C-alpha cells in the first residue's frame, strides 16, 4: 500500500510539474541601455505550449493590429494569431522553421535571474544572434521562435548591441489567454497571413485597378471613371479620411504596356476646386476655356499658372513609363530577365493639408497615341509613423506646365525660349512660415540637340531675386534596363534607356526638389522660373514640364 501511495504521489508531482505555467517578462535594451517607455514582452510557458505576447495585449489595451504567437510542444509548431481589428482574427501555422534552426554551442555560462544559463550562437540574414537559455526549470520556450528546442531562453542578443532580456519569472495558475483569443479564427496560409496582417497596419484607398490609358475615340466615361483627351486621362472622385499629424501618405502606381512600346510622360495629379474655375472645367469644356499665360513669345499656354480665380492641377507624382514592359517581354537578350510590372511609389505627405478630409478628383495621365496604350492600377496609402518631415499646414498651387491635355490640344511648355520664362504672381492672406517650393522639373526634346539630352540650369526667382539654381540631370538611367525590353540598342553598345536625361529615366519617378524660401509675409509675391531652352530644329523642339506648389505653415 505504501509503495502504491508513493507511486501515485510521484505521478501527482510529475503531473503538477508538467502542468506548471510560468510568466516571464522581458525588456529591450540597446548598447546596455534599457529602452524607455517600452511595452514589455510577456511569455506564458509550460511543458505543452509557449505563448508570446506583450503587456498591453495581456491587459487588452493594445491597438490593432497585433499578434500573439503560440509554440506547441513537443511538435514545435508555430501558430501565429493576427488580430486585424476587433472582429477579425486570422491564423497560420509553421511546423518546419524551428526544426531548421542550427546553433553553435559554446562553453560560456552565466546566471540570469539566478538561473544557470548556457550560450548558443546562430546567424540569420547576416546578423549574429546569441541565445542564453537555462535547463533549470525543465521547460522549453522563450520570447521568440529562436531556441525553442534548447531550453527556456532568458536572453537574446543581436550583433552584440540589441538585447531582449528576462526581468522576472513567476508561477501562475492561469494565463487568461481564452479572454484574448475569444472570437472565430480564419485560418490561412503563411504568405496570405503576412499580407493581410501587413495591409491591416495602414489605410488603403483604391483609385484605379487595371484601367487602360490609351488613345482612342472609343474611350468613354462611365459611372466610376471619367476619361478625357481620347482616353489619355482617367479621373475619379476620391474621398480622403481625416489624416492626422502623425500619419504619412504614399501614392503608388503599377504600370504595364498594353501595346505602346515607348517611354512616355506620366503624372498622377489632383484638381483643387477652391476657386471659381478649376482644371476640371478645362477637361469638360476644352483647354481653350482655361486662363491663358503669355510671356511675349507669341504663344498662349492654357491653364498652367494660378490666377485670382483659377488653380492649376497639383502633381502628386511625375513618372515615366518604360519601353514596353510586359507587352514586349518576348524580346530576348542574353542574360536579361525582364520585369513584369513597373512600380512607381512616392511619399506625398507634404500635400496632406489639401487631401485630409477632402473629396477630390484624382487622375492619371500618360501621353501616348497608341490604341493599346498602357494598363495602370493606382492607390494611396496612409500610415501611422514616427517620421515627421513635413509639418506644413498649407498647400498653395502655383504652376504646372505639364500639358496633361496634350491629346486635346493643350500646347507644350515652350515658354522658356525667352528671358521671362514662367512668371507667377500670388497673394498670401497670412504670413507663411518655413515656406518651400515643391518643384518638379523634367526636360524634353528627344533628339541629339534636344533639352532631354542636354543639361540645362533651372533658376528660381522669388520676388525678383534668384533663390535657387541647379542642373536637373539623371545619370542612373542604365540601372533600369530590365524594365525596358523594347528599348532600342545602339552601335556604341548603349541602349536608349541607358542614356542620361534631364531629370528623368524611362521607368522611374522624378522626385520633387524642396526649395527653401524662408518666412514669407502676407501680401503679393512673385515666383519666376528661367531655363535656357534650346532652339527648335526643323519639326523638333524642346519643352520643360515644371510644376510648383508652395507649402508652409500659417
Amino acid at each position: 500500500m505504501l509503495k502504491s501511495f508513493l507511486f501515485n504521489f510521484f505521478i501527482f508531482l510529475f503531473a503538477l510539474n508538467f502542468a506548471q505555467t510560468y510568466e516571464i517578462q522581458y525588456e529591450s535594451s540597446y548598447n546596455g541601455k534599457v529602452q524607455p517607455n517600452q511595452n514589455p514582452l510577456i511569455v506564458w510557458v509550460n511543458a505543452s505550449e509557449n505563448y508570446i505576447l506583450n503587456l498591453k495585449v495581456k491587459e487588452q489595451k493594445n491597438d490593432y493590429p497585433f499578434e500573439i504567437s503560440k509554440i506547441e510542444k513537443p511538435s514545435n509548431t508555430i501558430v501565429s494569431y493576427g488580430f486585424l481589428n476587433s472582429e477579425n482574427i486570422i491564423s497560420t501555422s509553421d511546423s518546419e522553421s524551428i526544426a531548421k534552426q542550427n546553433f553553435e554551442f559554446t562553453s560560456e555560462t552565466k546566471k540570469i535571474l539566478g538561473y544557470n544559463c548556457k550560450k548558443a550562437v546562430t546567424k540569420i540574414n547576416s546578423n549574429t544572434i546569441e541565445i542564453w537559455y537555462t535547463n533549470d526549470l525543465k521547460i522549453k520556450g522563450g520570447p521568440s521562435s529562436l531556441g525553442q528546442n534548447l531550453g527556456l531562453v532568458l536572453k537574446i542578443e543581436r550583433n552584440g548591441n540589441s538585447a531582449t532580456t528576462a526581468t522576472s519569472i513567476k508561477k501562475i495558475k492561469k494565463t487568461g489567454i481564452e479572454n484574448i483569443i475569444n472570437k472565430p479564427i480564419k485560418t490561412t496560409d503563411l504568405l496570405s497571413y503576412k499580407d493581410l496582417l501587413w495591409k491591416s497596419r495602414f489605410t488603403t484607398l483604391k483609385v484605379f485597378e487595371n484601367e487602360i490609358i490609351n488613345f482612342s475615340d472609343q474611350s468613354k466615361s462611365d459611372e466610376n471613371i471619367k476619361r478625357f483627351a481620347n482616353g489619355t486621362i482617367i479621373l475619379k472622385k476620391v474621398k480622403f479620411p481625416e489624416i492626422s499629424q502623425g500619419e504619412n501618405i504614399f501614392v503608388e502606381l503599377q504600370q504595364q504596356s498594353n501595346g505602346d512600346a515607348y517611354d512616355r510622360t506620366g503624372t498622377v495629379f489632383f484638381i483643387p476646386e477652391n476657386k471659381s474655375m478649376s482644371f476640371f472645367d478645362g477637361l469638360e469644356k476644352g483647354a481653350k476655356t482655361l486662363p491663358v499665360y503669355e510671356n511675349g513669345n507669341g504663344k498662349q499656354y492654357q491653364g498652367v499658372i494660378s490666377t485670382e480665380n483659377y488653380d492649376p492641377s497639383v502633381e502628386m507624382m511625375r513618372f515615366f513609363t518604360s519601353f514596353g514592359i510586359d507587352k514586349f517581354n518576348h524580346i530576348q537578350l542574353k542574360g536579361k530577365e525582364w520585369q513584369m510590372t513597373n512600380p512607381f511609389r512616392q511619399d506625398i505627405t507634404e500635400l496632406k493639408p489639401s487631401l485630409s478630409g477632402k473629396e477630390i478628383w484624382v487622375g492619371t495621365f500618360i501621353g501616348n497615341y497608341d490604341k493599346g496604350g498602357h494598363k495602370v492600377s493606382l492607390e494611396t496609402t496612409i500610415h501611422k509613423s514616427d517620421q515627421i518631415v513635413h509639418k506644413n499646414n498649407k498647400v498653395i498651387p502655383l504652376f504646372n506646365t505639364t500639358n496633361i491635355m496634350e491629346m486635346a490640344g493643350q500646347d507644350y511648355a515652350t515658354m522658356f525660349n525667352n528671358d521671362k520664362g514662367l512668371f507667377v504672381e500670388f497673394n498670401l492672406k497670412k504670413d507663411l512660415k518655413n515656406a518651400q517650393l515643391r518643384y518638379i522639373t523634367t526636360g524634353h526634346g528627344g533628339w541629339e540637340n534636344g533639352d532631354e539630352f542636354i543639361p540645362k540650369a533651372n533658376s528660381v526667382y522669388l520676388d525678383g531675386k534668384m533663390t535657387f539654381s541647379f542642373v536637373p540631370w539623371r545619370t542612373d538611367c542604365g540601372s533600369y534596363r530590365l524594365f525596358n525590353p523594347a528599348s532600342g540598342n545602339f552601335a556604341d553598345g548603349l541602349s536608349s534607356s541607358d542614356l542620361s536625361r534631364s531629370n528623368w529615366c524611362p521607368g522611374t519617378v522624378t522626385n520633387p526638389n524642396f526649395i527653401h524660401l524662408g518666412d514669407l509675409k502676407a501680401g503679393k509675391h512673385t515666383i519666376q522660373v528661367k531655363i535656357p531652352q534650346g532652339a527648335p530644329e526643323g519639326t523638333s523642339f524642346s519643352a520643360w514640364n515644371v510644376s510648383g506648389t508652395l507649402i508652409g505653415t500659417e
Side-chain angles (χ1 to χ4, degrees):
M1 177 179 262
L2 180 60
K3 288 183 178 180
S4 176
F5 171 78
L6 291 174
F7 177 77
N8 290 331
F9 178 72
F10 284 120
I11 290 293
F12 170 76
L13 288 179
F14 176 78
L16 185 65
N17 185 64
F18 185 84
Q20 180 62 63
T21 299
Y22 294 88
E23 179 180 285
I24 305 105
Q25 184 165 307
Y26 297 79
E27 68 180 10
S28 300
S29 61
Y30 189 77
N31 287 330
K33 295 182 179 179
V34 175
Q35 301 300 295
N37 304 317
Q38 61 183 272
N39 183 15
L41 278 174
I42 300 291
V43 167
W44 291 327
V45 60
N46 57 38
S48 62
E49 58 190 14
N50 179 156
Y51 282 98
I52 304 169
L53 55 158
N54 61 51
L55 184 60
K56 286 186 178 180
V57 171
K58 174 189 172 183
E59 296 174 347
Q60 300 186 52
K61 297 178 180 178
N62 212 67
D63 294 331
Y64 293 97
F66 63 87
E67 282 186 282
I68 294 176
S69 296
K70 178 176 74 170
I71 294 88
E72 297 176 342
K73 306 292 183 176
S75 66
N76 279 328
T77 298
I78 305 170
V79 182
S80 299
Y81 299 95
F83 296 73
L84 306 185
N85 50 52
S86 60
E87 299 299 325
N88 293 289
I89 306 174
I90 59 173
S91 75
T92 192
S93 60
D94 174 4
S95 59
E96 299 178 356
S97 293
I98 292 177
K100 293 178 180 178
Q101 295 175 9
N102 293 307
F103 296 95
E104 174 188 342
F105 296 95
T106 74
S107 58
E108 292 184 57
T109 62
K110 68 177 178 180
K111 286 196 173 186
I112 299 175
L113 297 177
Y115 296 98
N116 299 303
C117 294
K118 303 174 184 178
K119 186 173 87 168
V121 181
T122 189
K123 282 188 174 291
I124 300 176
N125 299 332
S126 302
N127 294 292
T128 300
I129 312 293
E130 297 178 357
I131 307 291
W132 291 91
Y133 63 96
T134 182
N135 299 121
D136 290 358
L137 293 172
K138 310 301 181 186
I139 55 173
K140 295 179 179 180
S144 78
S145 62
L146 287 175
Q148 287 281 338
N149 233 0
L150 303 180
L152 181 60
V153 177
L154 297 183
K155 183 177 182 179
I156 300 175
E157 188 165 8
R158 178 172 59 87
N159 297 329
N161 50 33
S162 181
T164 300
T165 309
T167 57
S168 67
I169 300 177
K170 64 180 180 181
K171 296 178 181 179
I172 59 174
K173 292 182 179 180
K174 193 175 182 181
T175 63
I177 190 66
E178 70 280 358
N179 297 321
I180 302 174
I181 308 177
N182 59 359
K183 288 182 173 63
I185 299 169
K186 181 182 178 181
T187 303
T188 185
D189 62 274
L190 182 58
L191 284 179
S192 296
Y193 172 88
K194 290 181 177 179
D195 185 61
L196 288 168
L197 183 66
W198 176 253
K199 289 178 178 177
S200 73
R201 298 184 185 279
F202 52 88
T203 300
T204 300
L205 301 178
K206 295 282 188 181
V207 184
F208 305 124
E209 190 162 1
N210 293 323
E211 293 294 336
I212 301 300
I213 298 179
N214 63 349
F215 184 81
S216 171
D217 56 9
Q218 301 301 310
S219 295
K220 304 295 181 184
S221 299
D222 57 38
E223 60 182 9
N224 294 316
I225 296 172
K226 291 186 175 292
R227 288 176 165 82
F228 299 99
N230 290 93
T232 58
I233 302 168
I234 57 176
L235 204 66
K236 184 178 180 180
K237 222 30 171 331
V238 178
K239 173 65 176 176
F240 286 84
E242 294 291 337
I243 306 168
S244 69
Q245 180 66 39
E247 291 181 309
N248 290 342
I249 315 171
F250 283 75
V251 62
E252 181 169 351
L253 183 106
Q254 303 282 335
Q255 175 265 332
Q256 295 174 315
S257 168
N258 195 53
D260 188 8
Y262 283 93
D263 53 334
R264 305 294 189 183
T265 298
T267 180
V268 179
F269 62 94
F270 71 86
I271 299 177
E273 294 186 287
N274 303 320
K275 296 181 179 179
S276 59
M277 181 178 288
S278 75
F279 188 72
F280 187 76
D281 295 315
L283 291 172
E284 287 200 310
K285 302 173 185 177
K288 291 183 178 180
T289 64
L290 295 176
V292 168
Y293 172 71
E294 296 179 284
N295 70 353
N297 69 354
K299 289 192 174 185
Q300 293 184 332
Y301 303 96
Q302 303 97 353
V304 299
I305 67 168
S306 66
T307 68
E308 184 178 352
N309 300 314
Y310 169 82
D311 279 332
S313 61
V314 175
E315 277 198 291
M316 301 167 83
M317 178 173 68
R318 177 91 55 88
F319 66 93
F320 292 86
T321 69
S322 51
F323 285 95
I325 189 168
D326 187 54
K327 188 71 173 180
F328 293 85
N329 281 13
H330 60 272
I331 298 173
Q332 294 184 334
L333 289 178
K334 190 175 181 62
K336 303 294 185 186
E337 296 291 334
W338 307 121
Q339 296 292 313
M340 301 295 292
T341 302
N342 214 325
F344 305 98
R345 181 171 168 84
Q346 191 167 64
D347 184 349
I348 58 166
T349 305
E350 65 277 1
L351 302 178
K352 183 192 307 181
S354 287
L355 305 176
S356 178
K358 308 283 181 62
E359 187 173 17
I360 56 176
W361 290 108
V362 175
T364 300
F365 158 75
I366 297 176
N368 74 102
Y369 287 97
D370 189 271
K371 188 174 182 179
H374 303 260
K375 183 187 295 184
V376 301
S377 295
L378 177 69
E379 65 183 27
T380 61
T381 57
I382 303 169
H383 307 255
K384 292 181 179 179
S385 178
D386 293 329
Q387 184 190 50
I388 303 175
V389 177
H390 296 284
K391 299 180 181 180
N392 59 293
N393 62 12
K394 195 69 177 176
V395 174
I396 303 172
L398 293 180
F399 55 87
N400 186 358
T401 71
T402 304
N403 53 335
I404 294 173
M405 285 190 282
E406 174 188 354
M407 285 69 189
Q410 188 180 17
D411 207 352
Y412 289 88
T414 58
M415 68 279 292
F416 300 101
N417 62 355
N418 73 4
D419 188 58
K420 187 175 181 180
L422 183 70
F423 186 86
V424 185
E425 295 178 314
F426 62 98
N427 185 55
L428 295 179
K429 295 180 180 179
K430 297 180 180 180
D431 292 352
L432 193 68
K433 295 182 179 179
N434 301 316
Q436 297 180 67
L437 181 67
R438 182 184 188 264
Y439 180 71
I440 302 174
T441 178
T442 52
H444 303 272
W447 83 102
E448 183 180 1
N449 295 317
D451 282 7
E452 178 176 329
F453 298 115
I454 304 293
K456 296 290 179 72
N458 284 220
S459 300
V460 177
Y461 295 77
L462 172 66
D463 297 330
K465 296 181 180 179
M466 183 187 290
T467 300
F468 188 75
S469 184
F470 75 115
V471 177
W473 189 247
R474 289 282 292 269
T475 60
D476 60 331
C477 296
S479 301
Y480 307 97
R481 182 67 180 93
L482 295 181
F483 291 88
N484 290 276
S487 178
N489 298 308
F490 303 136
D492 60 4
L494 291 174
S495 174
S496 178
S497 63
D498 293 336
L499 300 179
S500 299
R501 288 171 168 83
S502 287
N503 212 32
W504 65 276
C505 298
T508 69
V509 168
T510 292
N511 291 322
N513 286 83
F514 291 91
I515 301 172
H516 291 267
L517 304 178
D519 295 339
L520 301 182
K521 292 292 184 181
K524 292 183 178 181
H525 297 273
T526 63
I527 285 281
Q528 186 176 23
V529 179
K530 294 185 179 184
I531 304 169
Q533 179 181 300
E537 295 182 7
T539 59
S540 298
F541 60 91
S542 294
W544 282 83
N545 292 336
V546 299
S547 68
T549 305
L550 186 65
I551 64 174
T553 302
E554 285 188 345

